[in-house]
Amino acid sequence: EKSPSSSAFLRSAVMNKASNEANEQTPFRGPSGWEIQEDEDSTKTKRWLALGVISAALLVVGVVFFMAPTSVTAKPVAVRCADNTACGELDGDCCPTPQGYSLGCCKDPTNIVSPARATRAACDSNSACRAVGLLGACCPNAKGVTLECCTGANNTVTKPHPVSALCSRNPGCSDIGLAGNCCPGDDGISLTCCPPVTVRGG
């Protein structure tokens, strides 16, 4: 026959075992009372979702950065000395010179550039008009009349471009054998062989 102490010990051991098994089977409950079960699959899923969100955010930032418009303003170009206030007392071309380098006055902080550009109306800018030796304005001319050479099938129009003072760089002047400065000359007067120009503030 078992003693009372041994029976009490057995009952205690059985109860402890049952309590431990119950604790192992009972899921953890949060403050709200809902069961909270964390397994390896759900943890991996959360990690992949977090990586996906981070990747998407980085992609959006990259697209915005590379597609953002840049505010780069091109500096106006004025080749002739007369079109640069800091070079105004000089003759011919300064920015650059015929030798291909720009004078110090071109880079002067106080320099104001007024770019002069040959227009599409210039006879020089229309190959068919130049071919027949026409000078000045042709398309239209000074009277507002567009000459026949402007609309010919063989006519090629040159885009507006900075005007040089050199005779050699103005076809209407070079074609008649002039040299030196023509547009304007050293006296500040442009010859009739020079193309009509438009001038805008820099």
Side-chain angles (χ1 to χ4, degrees), residues 29 41 50 54 60 82 111 120 132 202:
R29 295 179 181 273
D41 290 339
I54 294 173
V60 170
N111 184 44
R120 294 175 182 269
V132 294

Side-chain angles (χ1 to χ4, degrees), residues 8 20 31 52 59 81 88 93 108 137 153 163 202:
N20 290 336
L59 179 61
C81 304
D93 291 349
D108 191 309
V163 176

Side-chain angles (χ1 to χ4, degrees), residues 1-7:
E1 184 178 354
K2 298 180 180 180
S3 65
S5 61
S6 62
S7 297

Side-chain angles (χ1 to χ4, degrees), residues 71-171:
S71 56
V72 178
T73 304
K75 293 183 178 180
V77 176
V79 177
R80 303 185 302 183
C81 304
D83 298 329
N84 294 269
T85 56
C87 309
E89 295 183 1
L90 302 175
D91 298 322
D93 291 349
C94 290
C95 311
T97 65
Q99 291 73 34
Y101 60 88
S102 293
L103 301 183
C105 57
C106 305
K107 304 174 183 178
D108 191 309
T110 64
N111 184 44
I112 299 175
V113 180
S114 298
R117 299 171 67 84
T119 69
R120 294 175 182 269
C123 303
D124 285 0
S125 299
N126 292 268
S127 62
C129 302
R130 177 187 169 190
V132 294
L134 297 178
L135 303 175
C138 288
C139 311
N141 62 16
K143 296 181 179 180
V145 178
T146 298
L147 303 185
E148 186 177 351
C149 59
C150 305
T151 57
N154 62 335
N155 183 47
T156 301
V157 182
T158 303
K159 295 180 179 179
H161 55 279
V163 176
S164 169
L166 295 178
C167 304
S168 61
R169 294 184 180 177
N170 290 280

